[in-house]
Amino acid sequence: MSQRPAVRQATHRHYLMCRPTHFDVTYAINPWMDPGKPVDTDLAIEQWEGLRRLYEEYGHTVDLLEPVAGLPDMVFSANGATVVDDRVLIARFRHPQRAAEAPAHQEWFTSRGYREVHSATYVNEAEGDYMVVGRTVLAGTGFRTDPRAHAELREALGCPVVTLTLTDPRFYHLDTALAVLSDTDVMYYPDAFSPDSLATLRELFPDAVVAARADAEAFGLNAVSDGRHVFLPDTATGLAARLRRRGFEPVGVDLSELLKAGGSVKCCTLEIRHQAHA
Ligand code: ARG
């Protein structure tokens, strides 16, 4: 172990976000959602604007997807598509309440001329369950994404896929239990995974940043990294300290209103990965 953390390199990112204009909690499809609890949509918009501004301040490009009335979870754009090398695999949502978000994503990518836009046969909630680390996709299953979708992902995007099984309903998407920090680094919450999947993670990432329960419960793993700056909920203070020790720069964000729907930073951020031009 070296004394001084490595100097981390940020790279420019391209994100797709969707303003929470119609955000609300009107149904419960994960344990964080309580339709009986009041939601302040204006506050949600203000907090979300803060995140969007932050990305732009750090030099990233943010594109916007037009929000649709009657789709209160559409702010969680990460669930709509997975994009690698400009190839797009559109989501197929598990719950009927969110099904109509998929065609909105399909239309966005198709109308912008992405080189391949695949629709999916099997249920997959895109970057909610699919995390790209270097050339490999870590693919979650257990609550939302159908395990049969993992082969479909491999076919459509041409990347190696590693299946990981989630076991705690509070961590129902892979992006609530694991975050990608760089092409080779991740952080995760061990108790969210089956014993086999945990063994896989330990083998693939022996140096991973491991999150404590309080940070995981604060949605600290629902984070976005540009390789150096890690945007994460500001309440995940333990995780922020661990990241700093590894040479990353944590940037705390308050998205408390969106937490009422079981989402935070990463859920609001779909990363568009472009083809490298040699
Ligand atoms: N209410 C949404 C759902 O349960 C939250 C989605 C959060 N998104 C995410 N990428 N984890 O589907």
Side-chain angles (χ1 to χ4, degrees):
M1 268 276 172
S2 75
Q3 293 296 99
R4 207 155 42 96
V7 175
R8 303 285 178 179
Q9 220 43 53
T11 54
H12 172 264
R13 307 291 168 132
H14 184 186
Y15 299 132
L16 181 63
M17 298 180 72
C18 180
R19 194 171 188 266
T21 311
H22 308 289
F23 178 67
D24 202 351
V25 178
T26 56
Y27 49 79
I29 56 173
N30 70 54
W32 306 91
M33 299 175 88
D34 176 359
K37 235 162 103 183
V39 167
D40 183 340
T41 305
D42 289 337
L43 179 57
I45 293 171
E46 202 179 294
Q47 293 177 337
W48 177 91
E49 289 288 359
L51 177 64
R52 175 195 171 179
R53 232 179 296 119
L54 207 53
Y55 286 147
E56 289 175 340
E57 279 166 21
Y58 279 82
H60 302 302
T61 301
V62 177
D63 272 329
L64 297 178
L65 181 66
E66 192 58 39
V68 176
L71 296 176
D73 272 334
M74 199 169 170
V75 57
F76 303 120
S77 59
N79 299 133
T82 308
V83 189
V84 176
D85 286 350
D86 289 314
R87 288 170 159 165
V88 185
L89 176 63
I90 301 295
R92 179 176 288 273
F93 286 86
R94 169 139 325 258
H95 300 98
Q97 294 96 328
R98 298 197 64 189
E101 294 178 40
H105 280 265
Q106 175 119 26
E107 143 64 25
W108 195 90
F109 285 101
T110 306
S111 67
R112 276 157 187 82
Y114 277 77
R115 66 171 179 141
E116 286 174 29
V117 182
H118 300 267
S119 43
T121 304
Y122 295 109
V123 167
N124 84 81
E125 297 201 348
E127 289 202 329
D129 275 321
Y130 294 159
M131 320 250 44
V132 182
V133 197
R135 285 296 307 163
T136 302
V137 185
L138 304 179
T141 187
F143 296 101
R144 299 290 180 89
T145 295
D146 186 319
R148 290 171 297 180
H150 294 179
E152 186 172 32
L153 171 78
R154 187 184 308 121
E155 281 285 297
L157 302 185
C159 342
V161 173
V162 174
T163 293
L164 296 171
T165 303
L166 297 162
T167 54
D168 180 335
R170 292 173 311 153
F171 304 104
Y172 58 93
H173 272 146
L174 184 58
D175 74 355
T176 65
L178 183 145
V180 176
L181 300 171
S182 75
D183 283 350
T184 50
D185 298 279
V186 301
M187 59 179 178
Y188 65 86
Y189 176 52
D191 290 359
F193 294 91
S194 71
D196 279 358
S197 296
L198 187 54
T200 303
L201 282 172
R202 287 187 172 136
E203 194 182 312
L204 288 176
F205 306 104
D207 297 326
V209 176
V210 172
R213 189 168 67 161
D215 288 320
E217 287 175 348
F219 262 64
L221 280 322
N222 201 247
V224 168
S225 172
D226 64 13
R228 177 185 180 108
H229 312 104
V230 182
F231 304 91
L232 81 172
D234 57 4
T235 46
T237 49
L239 210 42
R242 285 175 201 198
L243 286 167
R244 230 175 261 119
R245 283 201 290 274
R246 300 297 188 91
F248 293 99
E249 247 180 72
V251 182
V253 183
D254 179 10
L255 288 179
S256 57
E257 214 48 32
L258 295 175
L259 214 51
K260 294 178 179 170
S264 190
V265 178
K266 171 59 205 166
C267 305
C268 296
T269 315
L270 188 165
E271 183 168 351
I272 301 178
R273 298 176 190 82
H274 295 287
Q275 198 173 12
H277 294 286

